[in-house]
Amino acid sequence: MTDTVLSIRNISKSFGGIHAVRDVSFDVQKGEVLGLIGPNGSGKSTLFNCVLGQLKPDTGEVRVNDQTVAGMRAAALNKLGVGRTFQQLSVFPQMSVLENIILAGQEHQGTMATRLFGPSDAGLTAEADQMIKFFRLEHLRDEMAGSLSYGQQKLVDAAMAFMAGPSLVLLDEPAGGVNLTMLANLKDRLRAYNREHGTTFVVIEHNMEFVMSLCTRIIVLAEGAIIAEGTPDEIRSNQQVIDAYLGG
Amino acid sequence: MKRAHLILALIGIAVLILAPIGQKNYIIYVLCSWLMFSIAAMGLNLTLGYAGQVSLAQASFIGIGAYITSLLTLAGYHWVFGWLAAMGATFVIGLLLGYPALRVQHHFLAFVTLAFNTIVFLVLRNEEEITGGSFGLVGMPRPEFFGIKTMPQLNFYYFVLVLFVISAFVFWWIVHSPWGRAFKALRENPIRAESLGVDTRRITLLAFAIGSAFGGGAGAIMAPLVQFIEPGSFALIHSLKILLMVVVGGAGFFYGPMLGAAVVIILPEFLRFTEGYYLIIYAFLVIVLMVYSPSGLIGLGSKLMARFRPKQEVRKDMAKGAQL
Ligand SMILES: Nc1ncnc2c1ncn2[C@@H]1O[C@H](COP(=O)(O)OP(=O)(O)OP(=O)(O)O)[C@@H](O)[C@H]1O
Ligand SMILES: [Mg+2]
């Protein structure tokens, strides 16, 4: 029996004349931390959006835990245990950090009726506080999310992706704009999560130091197609990748 | 509920209980009208202020509610049935009006709802057999509860006050429940909300349906309050008036629509002594308020408070919202 969490088959997506993603296929195994790298505009974010229901791919098929998710709405996919972050900051600015994180979990609690007639925090305050502690955001708990610094908002954003206990998390440039200490912290958090919960990750990132040290396997996209795949060491020494992306 | 909020609410209710005592019938009528519009504005505050869905059709829901209640009470049914039917019907019609909002947003949505308001107006005017056309309907009885007649103005006021308090409580409950959080999430970042499992379609439709049902509930009060309704009372201009209440009071704040309705309904009465100038003074005050505090009276209040106790603000230098 294989433990494939995410299976991507022949995904293509064009915008007018631009072939953003060309016939991409790969599998992600349970517990794996997969890095997705490539130059700007190589189609990484578009691929995420095709996988997660924000965009409809032109061709191809996506399976999560052996279930096809074609045409599934993002909310339904999230309920299947798939969390994500966006490349752009995506917190709810006029809600407190705590409220943001409760929101991220509440739709997985009870039914529409219990979410109307039950407790206003959907019984999630304790769990949200734990998540806040895990991401070391305690001092910001009751601040308005939109008033935090960029890096702090990034952490809240990441914390939200984990709130519902997903089995698969796709992160789009989690390290962008985050300072070194915070970055080390974030890497720590992701590793700890992976270890403690067996959560599978796919991470898009331009920070090579971050990707190479975090990921167990790396896929390189260029102009919408996969040009290389391997361990961090293999990727670092791959001539094609150096030419297309890593430079001299 | 935080203690301070509860105390504030209780003081408010006490003031409302004492307010009409010893007042002339006309003043009590104005107060009833304010409470009635507050309920309608609460509904729009939910749809627009909390869920971020523009609607220029709230007056049409008051109209639908008022006509349904009028027809039923004129046919001899007790007002309670009219009220329930009005809320039920406006809930369903509001739900249907929500469908365009799944496709269009902002000013396009404003136009869709504006068109809806116009259609309702035309139906009310042209279906003479049922609605009485431009002459409207007259003589709706005021209800009686357990032998207590609401025909005397003061009694009617307390009847409206009870409905107002119930509506305010329901509204408070909804916006503080996880639904309320989902509404806000829809307003602030729908793509992110969807990716976190919020069924944004369902939440959008509910925002319209619930907001409209509050409008229908207000209409059910209007029928016995005014005892005369005609299509003109529910024309577009009245939807704009309710929008003004929500915006002037403070969209997205619990007390916003009540304050806003007070400004729109009661303030003109105070300005009456200025004779012909009152509309000009009134318009001027609204413009000054909107320039100084786009988040309305509540925003103005918290701006003043912030002088003493600095508050956080959402930063303007960071683009918000997930974009694909
Ligand atoms: N909505 C869209 N409409 C038109 N073109 C688009 C759209 N989204 C993406 N593209 C194009 O698709 C290509 C891939 O974009 P994508 O955002 O996936 O790149 P990326 O690999 O995530 O880049 P970066 O590292 O800069 O984030 C780009 O050429 C972009 O212009
Ligand atoms: Mg990208």
Side-chain angles (χ1 to χ4, degrees), chain B residues 192-272:
Chain B
R192 183 57 169 152
E194 177 83 30
S195 83
L196 292 169
V198 176
D199 188 335
T200 52
R201 278 159 169 274
R202 194 187 283 176
I203 283 294
T204 306
L205 295 177
L206 278 171
F208 271 95
I210 299 172
S212 305
F214 274 81
I221 297 171
M222 188 178 192
L225 170 66
V226 188
Q227 297 182 293
F228 163 60
I229 55 171
E230 42 111 13
S233 312
F234 312 108
L236 182 62
I237 180 79
H238 298 282
S239 286
L240 292 173
K241 199 163 85 179
I242 299 165
L243 179 66
L244 185 70
M245 292 174 192
V246 173
V247 174
V248 162
F253 297 98
F254 179 72
Y255 288 106
M258 303 166 205
L259 274 179
V263 171
V264 176
I265 303 288
I266 300 179
L267 191 63
E269 302 296 327
F270 278 110
L271 291 174
R272 229 168 245 281

Side-chain angles (χ1 to χ4, degrees), chain A residues 84 94 106 116 120 143 146, chain B residues 173 181 188 192 312 315:
Chain A
R84 80 166 294 182
Q94 297 195 52
Q106 70 174 35
L116 179 59
S120 79
E143 310 276 309
Chain B
W173 184 270
R181 202 176 288 115
E188 300 202 358
R192 183 57 169 152
Q312 291 147 10
R315 342 182 14 146

Side-chain angles (χ1 to χ4, degrees), chain A residues 13-16 18-21 37-49 55 87 172-173 204-206 221 224 245, chain B residues 324:
Chain A
K13 178 74 188 174
S14 306
F15 299 102
I18 300 171
H19 297 287
V21 178
I37 65 173
N40 292 125
S42 56
K44 306 180 295 295
S45 299
T46 304
L47 180 63
F48 264 24
N49 292 335
L55 285 176
Q87 182 163 358
D172 198 342
E173 302 198 16
I204 295 178
E205 192 44 71
H206 287 296
L221 282 187
Y245 184 43
Chain B
L324 299 182

Side-chain angles (χ1 to χ4, degrees), chain B residues 55-102:
Chain B
S55 168
L56 291 178
Q58 192 68 342
S60 61
F61 290 105
I62 301 183
I64 294 168
Y67 272 90
I68 289 177
T69 309
S70 299
L71 291 170
L72 284 175
T73 51
L74 285 173
Y77 291 96
H78 192 274
W79 176 87
V80 166
F81 296 107
W83 181 55
L84 293 175
M87 302 251 292
T90 46
F91 184 92
V92 172
I93 297 170
L95 196 76
L96 297 177
L97 183 65
Y99 274 91
L102 299 176

